[in-house]
Amino acid sequence: MKNFVIWKTALKSILKNKKRSFLTMFGIIIGIASVITIVSIGNGFKRDMINKMSMTNTNENISNISFNYYDISNAFTENEMFKKSDFDLIKNIKGVRKVDFYKPKQKLTERQVELYIHGKKLTKKIERVEKTSENLLVGRQIELKDNETLNKVVVIDEVLAQKLYGDPEKAVGKGFEIMNELFTVVGVVASSNGTLSAENQSALAHFPIKSYDHYFKKPESQSILNIEIDAGENKDNVTREVLKQLNFTGSLRNVGEYDTYNPKSGIDQMGSILDNLTLFISAVAGISLFIAGVGVMNMMYISVSERTKEIGIRRALGATEKDIRKQFLAEGLTLTLIGGLIGYLLGMILGVLSSMFLPFAVRPDLFTIGLAVGISILIGVVFSYMPASAASKKDLIDIMK
């Protein structure tokens, strides 16, 4: 029997009992949708976390050097890990083009700062922006010109204005002190939470990004070096020579050891942890797929018992046991594949809808598509094989009786 005929017959058999087929597929649809939703959200969260954590330099000619103290207590007493003499030493090594302190790849706009409200110190989130487009209660937005002129202005949250000035309407024009610098409140935005408790994770104040960075200069990290290697030079060989010279004549060679630093290793480890967590939660949600598989097996057994006469006719016309087995396996696979594809679409729709309320995007990928198809095929084969095998072993003489 040709494969095309087998699949065509299987589809006709499923459509003949639409209600029963849909109810059987329903468990598969829900199970697959649950797993795909969890996996897609988990992958979106992983991508977002890695992007925020990532400080890996994309330049292949860059090496990173760090310093590890023998006694960790020295890290709190030593102000500089790399001194001018270390820079001069590295610059004179053949193959080194440039050396400076390591700089993060991304500049996050959010900051955690200490605010004093009626003498009480609170650590809260603020945001550095080029301009705002918030839902204002009173005043104006932060504009591009505020950044260009380093204007010391701020737009604050309604609940913060209430606590500091008694009335949000009276806040505009008042001074807002932060880290001994005085900014002028130019606008008040409607509060989304209405409280200053830990539950409120929204930014309570918005500053022009250039103004904030000008008045609150954050010192560069001086614990890691960026070493740029000349084009054409062997990066590993030059890095080994740098480490050799530092460990032999470096300013802190007696209290620790210079070594290469790979920021990507910690990011990869975090990604692996998130993957394992997502798979564990997916496995718990996937228990429903086992129950759905039992439903598929039950339907296939019912189908076999109802079609005994059909099986007999096929056997009389020359169909082999293999043909009968393939026929019922095809029905089970078709049923589960259709359910799996519907479940995948439903899961991705739920994931995309969820991302509207989450701070990261959910996108379909080959892994989730392969997962949906793979699970569907597995359920179809595992739970349809026994009914298909039972159908193929029916004796023609017993059927005729």
Side-chain angles (χ1 to χ4, degrees), residues 12 38 40 43 48 62 104 137 143 199 240 257 266 279 352 377 400-401:
K12 283 183 178 180
I38 293 170
S40 60
N43 287 341
D48 183 65
I62 295 288
L137 289 179
E143 301 169 354
E199 297 176 0
R240 278 195 292 269
E257 183 179 17
L279 288 175
V352 171
I377 292 174
M400 296 301 292
K401 289 180 181 180

Side-chain angles (χ1 to χ4, degrees), residues 247-260:
N247 284 313
F248 186 70
T249 58
S251 59
L252 297 179
R253 64 189 181 279
N254 295 323
V255 293
E257 183 179 17
Y258 298 91
D259 200 358
T260 56

Side-chain angles (χ1 to χ4, degrees), residues 352-367:
V352 171
L353 289 175
S354 299
S355 68
M356 295 172 64
F357 305 97
L358 297 171
F360 52 84
V362 174
R363 300 187 302 270
D365 52 40
L366 289 177
F367 175 74

Side-chain angles (χ1 to χ4, degrees), residues 207-227:
F207 294 85
I209 188 168
K210 290 183 179 180
S211 302
Y212 186 96
D213 291 347
H214 176 76
Y215 290 101
F216 307 114
K217 291 179 180 178
K218 188 177 180 182
E220 294 179 346
S221 171
Q222 298 188 351
S223 60
I224 303 170
L225 289 182
N226 261 7
I227 299 177

Side-chain angles (χ1 to χ4, degrees), residues 166-181:
D167 185 351
E169 302 239 350
K170 296 179 181 178
V172 175
K174 296 291 180 63
F176 181 82
E177 185 175 351
I178 176 173
M179 293 184 281
N180 298 320
E181 291 288 346

Side-chain angles (χ1 to χ4, degrees), residues 297-363:
M297 181 183 287
N298 181 57
M299 177 185 167
M300 295 305 298
Y301 269 122
I302 293 172
S303 181
V304 169
S305 63
E306 288 179 346
R307 295 160 62 189
T308 301
K309 184 177 179 181
E310 178 189 330
I311 295 170
I313 294 172
R314 289 183 183 277
R315 292 296 300 276
L317 292 174
T320 63
E321 288 188 12
K322 184 179 179 181
D323 291 330
I324 301 297
R325 186 183 300 111
K326 285 173 67 176
Q327 175 65 45
F328 283 94
L329 272 175
E331 288 185 21
L333 277 171
T334 303
L335 188 74
T336 54
L337 274 174
I338 293 173
L341 291 174
I342 295 173
Y344 170 78
L345 293 173
L346 179 61
M348 287 310 304
I349 290 171
L350 290 173
V352 171
L353 289 175
S354 299
S355 68
M356 295 172 64
F357 305 97
L358 297 171
F360 52 84
V362 174
R363 300 187 302 270

Side-chain angles (χ1 to χ4, degrees), residues 84-367:
K84 184 178 183 299
S85 59
D86 297 322
F87 277 77
D88 293 337
L89 173 67
I90 296 171
K91 288 176 183 177
N92 290 325
I93 295 175
K94 183 178 180 297
V96 174
R97 182 181 179 184
K98 182 181 177 183
V99 57
D100 56 15
F101 286 116
Y102 182 77
K103 296 178 182 178
K105 184 181 71 174
Q106 293 182 330
K107 293 184 177 180
L108 302 180
T109 60
E110 294 179 349
R111 293 282 186 271
Q112 295 288 338
V113 299
E114 292 179 351
L115 300 177
Y116 288 86
I117 302 173
H118 300 312
K120 184 179 180 182
K121 183 173 74 173
L122 297 176
T123 301
K124 292 297 176 183
K125 184 189 297 182
I126 61 95
E127 190 170 17
R128 300 146 56 243
V129 297
E130 291 186 351
K131 62 179 182 177
T132 56
S133 56
E134 306 290 332
N135 181 22
L136 286 177
L137 289 179
V138 62
R140 68 170 179 88
Q141 307 277 7
I142 289 176
E143 301 169 354
L144 291 174
K145 66 180 181 181
D146 293 318
N147 271 291
E148 295 168 2
T149 58
L150 300 181
N151 204 0
K152 294 181 74 174
V153 296
V154 60
V155 170
I156 64 175
D157 187 271
E158 174 187 5
V159 67
L160 185 58
Q162 181 71 37
K163 292 289 184 182
L164 290 175
Y165 310 107
D167 185 351
E169 302 239 350
K170 296 179 181 178
V172 175
K174 296 291 180 63
F176 181 82
E177 185 175 351
I178 176 173
M179 293 184 281
N180 298 320
E181 291 288 346
L182 193 64
F183 285 70
T184 302
V185 178
V186 294
V188 178
V189 301
S191 176
S192 58
N193 189 282
T195 177
L196 287 177
S197 67
E199 297 176 0
N200 189 353
Q201 294 299 312
S202 303
L204 294 181
H206 305 269
F207 294 85
I209 188 168
K210 290 183 179 180
S211 302
Y212 186 96
D213 291 347
H214 176 76
Y215 290 101
F216 307 114
K217 291 179 180 178
K218 188 177 180 182
E220 294 179 346
S221 171
Q222 298 188 351
S223 60
I224 303 170
L225 289 182
N226 261 7
I227 299 177
E228 187 175 344
I229 312 299
D230 283 327
E233 293 286 344
N234 186 296
K235 175 182 171 182
D236 293 335
N237 290 342
V238 175
T239 303
R240 278 195 292 269
E241 183 62 25
V242 169
L243 289 174
K244 177 182 175 182
Q245 293 295 331
L246 283 173
N247 284 313
F248 186 70
T249 58
S251 59
L252 297 179
R253 64 189 181 279
N254 295 323
V255 293
E257 183 179 17
Y258 298 91
D259 200 358
T260 56
Y261 172 73
N262 181 13
K264 191 177 178 182
S265 60
I267 296 170
D268 290 341
Q269 186 177 9
M270 175 59 73
S272 178
I273 293 171
L274 292 174
D275 282 338
N276 291 334
L277 181 61
T278 299
L279 288 175
F280 173 74
I281 298 173
S282 299
V284 173
I287 293 174
S288 61
L289 289 171
F290 178 80
I291 300 170
V294 174
V296 172
M297 181 183 287
N298 181 57
M299 177 185 167
M300 295 305 298
Y301 269 122
I302 293 172
S303 181
V304 169
S305 63
E306 288 179 346
R307 295 160 62 189
T308 301
K309 184 177 179 181
E310 178 189 330
I311 295 170
I313 294 172
R314 289 183 183 277
R315 292 296 300 276
L317 292 174
T320 63
E321 288 188 12
K322 184 179 179 181
D323 291 330
I324 301 297
R325 186 183 300 111
K326 285 173 67 176
Q327 175 65 45
F328 283 94
L329 272 175
E331 288 185 21
L333 277 171
T334 303
L335 188 74
T336 54
L337 274 174
I338 293 173
L341 291 174
I342 295 173
Y344 170 78
L345 293 173
L346 179 61
M348 287 310 304
I349 290 171
L350 290 173
V352 171
L353 289 175
S354 299
S355 68
M356 295 172 64
F357 305 97
L358 297 171
F360 52 84
V362 174
R363 300 187 302 270
D365 52 40
L366 289 177
F367 175 74

Side-chain angles (χ1 to χ4, degrees), residues 36-104:
I36 295 302
T37 302
I38 293 170
V39 170
S40 60
I41 290 176
N43 287 341
F45 177 69
K46 173 188 167 183
R47 284 191 294 265
D48 183 65
M49 286 294 294
I50 288 177
N51 285 337
K52 288 182 177 178
M53 291 173 59
S54 177
M55 298 187 298
T56 307
N57 222 309
T58 55
N59 191 334
E60 293 182 356
N61 289 329
I62 295 288
S63 285
N64 298 119
I65 303 295
S66 65
F67 182 79
N68 301 315
Y69 286 98
Y70 295 137
D71 185 353
I72 193 64
S73 62
N74 290 330
F76 300 101
T77 58
E78 185 65 47
N79 293 326
E80 294 180 292
M81 290 186 184
F82 296 98
K83 296 181 170 58
K84 184 178 183 299
S85 59
D86 297 322
F87 277 77
D88 293 337
L89 173 67
I90 296 171
K91 288 176 183 177
N92 290 325
I93 295 175
K94 183 178 180 297
V96 174
R97 182 181 179 184
K98 182 181 177 183
V99 57
D100 56 15
F101 286 116
Y102 182 77
K103 296 178 182 178

